Each structure stands twice: as C-alpha cells, then as structure tokens.
Amino acid sequence: IVLARKYCGKGLAPLLQRAVLDRLDSARAPLVAGTIHAQNLPSLRTALRVGRHVVGSWTFITQGE
C-alpha cells in the first residue's frame, strides 16, 4: 500500500491498510506478508497499529576488502 507524498502524515495510512486487510478473503490467503525498510518507521508504526506483527528481521553484513 503506497500513499502519494501529499497524503502522508494525515493519518490515512492506518485507515486504508485496515480497510484493505478487512476485505481480503482469508479462505484464499490466510497470511499477509510484507517487508518494511528498517528506516521507514512511519510504515512500521502503521503496520503495528493495524494488528500486523514483526515475525522476522534481517541484517546484511558486508566484508571489507
């Protein structure tokens, strides 16, 4: 779910995300998965606010040359 920049910060994201989740057919897809970039705290807060849960995280470590 992506909001145009002009709609960000207006409290619409949780409403829209909850509306989308409520309309999904759980018989066809009982699990919703997604990724949120670690620095995207507004999206993480929105996901948690509508009842989604963090079930994993990844850290990439690069080797120096």
Side-chain angles (χ1 to χ4, degrees):
I1 301 169
V2 178
L3 291 178
R5 182 67 63 196
K6 69 180 184 177
Y7 298 111
C8 293
K10 299 187 183 304
L12 296 173
L15 297 172
L16 294 171
Q17 192 168 128
R18 186 74 258 158
V20 168
L21 293 170
D22 288 345
R23 285 167 178 73
L24 292 177
D25 182 355
S26 61
R28 291 187 62 186
L31 175 68
V32 174
T35 59
I36 298 172
H37 191 281
Q39 294 176 345
N40 189 347
L41 295 179
S43 289
L44 177 59
R45 285 192 295 268
T46 293
L48 295 172
R49 191 174 300 134
V50 299
R52 296 173 66 194
H53 302 278
V54 176
V55 296
S57 62
W58 295 263
T59 301
F60 297 94
I61 301 172
T62 58
Q63 286 184 292
E65 295 191 31

